[in-house]
Amino acid sequence: MGAERREPPVGEPMREVVLKIKHNGQPECVASERYPDVTMRSVSSMTGRGDERKRIVEVTGDPDDVAGFIEVFGEGDPVVAADPITPLGESTVFLSLTVAVPEWDSIAELLADLGLHYRTGTVITGGHERWTLYLDEDDDLAAIIDAIEARGNDVELVRQVEMHEVTPTSRLETAGAVHDLTPRQREALSAAIHAGYYGHERDASVEDVADQLGIGTTTAWEHLARAEGKVMADLGELLGPGDDHTAE
């Protein structure tokens, strides 16, 4: 008889928890509610000392909506500067963001004060921030939510799963392939999938998707192209680099 198979040792049990937070009164929430199809994502760590902090953020969506989002966001009290470092008029614009710490209600700093692990690169869309936390066995989720809500925020628990139960599919969800999509991008992608747009025989065209959604063909194509770009980028990060099959 073969040797009995033993499971590899694991560390302390942890949970992956995803929260949607409506950051009431903060400029990112105000701008996101006004432009719900725009997505803002943090793409760098926060730097700086004293009363100001800086980071780079990415804003994506319809170029006109992106410009409007940036204008509204930049007018918020905690925002010292929201300067585009790539050209306006594009569907993706990177900003150099500077905030005044005394006026800024930072969820990240609150989580750090609570001694919690969390995933960087927070995504804001449709008026909500999405945070992924990694909790130890002794971390009290109810107390964490209470601490966030005590600052006047609204919190929704999206998911809670033991880390050993996290599957490749759920990792893709956590990585952002789903929650980074705007509502219109999700709607377009869902319609395209169910219509057979991505089938082997391509049973539907972009015109069919547009007709189903009641929008123009160009608009449907733009929604699909942006959704595909986000999904494939996140899928690439999940899969990692491919094997090098170059012949010697």
Side-chain angles (χ1 to χ4, degrees), residues 55-86:
R55 82 179 333 152
I56 305 298
V57 299
E58 175 192 70
V59 184
T60 60
D62 178 89
D64 290 338
D65 288 348
V66 166
F69 181 101
I70 293 172
E71 182 178 1
V72 173
F73 179 58
E75 293 173 351
D77 289 339
V79 180
V80 176
D83 299 323
I85 55 178
T86 60

